[in-house]
Amino acid sequence: MQRRRRDPIVPPLTTRARLTAIAGAALLLAFFSAGQARAEFTVCNQTLDVVNLAVGQKVDDADQTDGWWTIGANQCVNVIRDELTNRYIYIYATDVFGHAILAGSTDMCVERRRFSIRGIDECWQRGHIAAKFLEVDTQEQARWTFFLTVSAP
């Protein structure tokens, strides 16, 4: 005679347990939704090299540059987390040896180490390094992604 295997008996959830589970799931969803920062200006490195990135923009009616973000090959980094209020964002990228890899025409200031510099005039006289930033026209959008690609020779 063959014995039948019995499935374990699982008691049904009470109304209170169901409501607690639903409330817990809603709380988790709200927590994770609020905790995710929306990227408003993202740079994606579509090259095969690691790049270092500096960003320039108007902050409180003054030009400001900030750096550095290190972006691995085929990676993206959120460099401005607030909604964009400036039509033009300026970027400067170097390879790991410090050689510029973007052809920009706007003079702004950078440093060798992490920095935040107010003003773009007289970089050398103020002890900074002058660099040619590329102007990115965001077309007055609230969010923008810039794709850094290998330029043709």
Side-chain angles (χ1 to χ4, degrees):
M1 180 168 167
Q2 189 176 19
R3 287 184 127 183
R4 284 184 125 184
R5 184 175 164 205
R6 289 184 123 189
D7 290 330
I9 297 173
V10 178
L13 289 176
T14 64
T15 302
R16 182 176 178 166
R18 268 185 266 167
L19 289 176
T20 302
I22 291 170
L27 183 62
L28 281 174
L29 179 63
F31 174 76
F32 286 115
S33 296
Q36 293 176 344
R38 290 188 345 205
E40 307 306 341
F41 189 80
T42 302
V43 176
C44 292
N45 175 12
Q46 294 185 324
T47 72
L48 298 176
D49 298 312
V50 173
V51 298
N52 295 309
L53 183 84
V55 175
Q57 64 177 321
K58 286 258 188 223
V59 176
D60 299 328
D61 293 324
D63 293 309
Q64 179 172 312
T65 54
D66 296 287
W68 295 98
W69 286 265
T70 300
I71 310 172
N74 295 310
Q75 299 290 314
C76 297
V77 171
N78 307 325
V79 294
I80 299 174
R81 294 186 182 271
D82 300 322
E83 266 191 26
L84 299 178
T85 56
N86 298 312
R87 177 174 180 165
Y88 299 101
I89 302 296
Y90 300 87
I91 59 174
Y92 175 73
T94 67
D95 61 17
V96 294
F97 302 107
H99 302 113
I101 58 173
L102 285 176
S105 60
T106 304
D107 288 322
M108 294 183 143
C109 306
V110 297
E111 285 288 336
R112 294 191 195 287
R113 299 191 184 272
R114 189 165 188 85
F115 67 91
S116 183
I117 301 170
R118 298 284 282 182
I120 60 172
D121 296 323
E122 301 174 337
C123 294
W124 292 106
Q125 292 87 333
R126 295 189 300 139
H128 306 300
I129 302 165
K132 300 273 188 193
F133 279 64
L134 177 71
E135 181 179 84
V136 177
D137 184 353
T138 65
Q139 301 174 12
E140 297 181 338
Q141 298 297 310
R143 292 180 257 323
W144 195 265
T145 299
F146 181 84
F147 295 93
L148 181 62
T149 59
V150 178
S151 57

